[in-house]
Amino acid sequence: MANRKFDNRPRWIRHRRVRRRVIGLNDRPRLSVFRSNKQIYAQVIDDGAGHTLVAASSIEVDNDSDGKIDSATRVGTTVAKRAIEQGVKKVVFDRGGYQYHGRVKALAEAARAEGLKF
């Protein structure tokens, strides 16, 4: 049965459309991004096993508030470092239905600069 709460929300529709094609497996897990008004969260997920391998959020990373884009950059750096420590070097990027712009782009570019390939 459909979840009617989210049926008409454009982001959820875009997210479902992206998730049809973006699948994270053991050799190449999925880097998923969730962005709220105040925070940003990132997870590296193995969809085959159904496990979250690594996670980071702006709640745990932020010590000083320089701005939302700076905190997204720190989250991207943190999640990339943690993923590389776990032995994950390649990921598939799941933007979560958000535009690849602003905080989502800053997170992705920081993860790339840290050494993640996608």
Side-chain angles (χ1 to χ4, degrees):
M1 187 167 159
N3 188 350
R4 296 197 186 279
K5 180 178 179 182
F6 299 118
D7 278 351
N8 294 325
R9 297 179 78 181
R11 186 186 81 80
W12 289 95
I13 292 168
R14 285 191 305 270
H15 184 64
R16 280 187 272 161
R17 187 170 56 230
V18 169
R19 285 286 291 124
R20 276 188 221 130
R21 293 190 174 93
V22 177
I23 298 169
L25 297 174
N26 192 15
D27 59 337
R28 197 165 176 177
R30 175 171 57 103
L31 174 61
S32 177
V33 175
F34 176 75
R35 179 179 65 88
S36 70
N37 285 337
K38 293 183 179 181
Q39 310 296 339
I40 191 160
Y41 307 86
Q43 293 180 330
V44 176
I45 304 166
D46 179 6
D47 289 322
H51 292 295
T52 299
L53 305 174
V54 176
S57 71
S58 58
I59 295 172
E60 67 183 50
V61 173
D62 272 349
N63 295 332
D64 52 346
S65 60
D66 292 336
K68 294 179 183 178
I69 291 181
D70 291 331
S71 67
T73 303
R74 284 193 291 269
V75 170
T77 303
T78 304
V79 77
K81 284 180 183 175
R82 290 179 184 173
I84 290 171
E85 286 174 6
Q86 292 288 327
V88 176
K89 293 187 178 26
K90 288 185 176 182
V91 295
V92 178
F93 188 67
D94 175 14
R95 59 187 172 89
Y98 301 107
Q99 224 178 7
Y100 188 77
H101 181 267
R103 291 189 278 162
V104 176
K105 183 176 179 181
L107 188 145
E109 288 178 352
R112 274 195 192 106
E114 203 58 42
L116 272 178
K117 305 276 187 213
F118 47 103

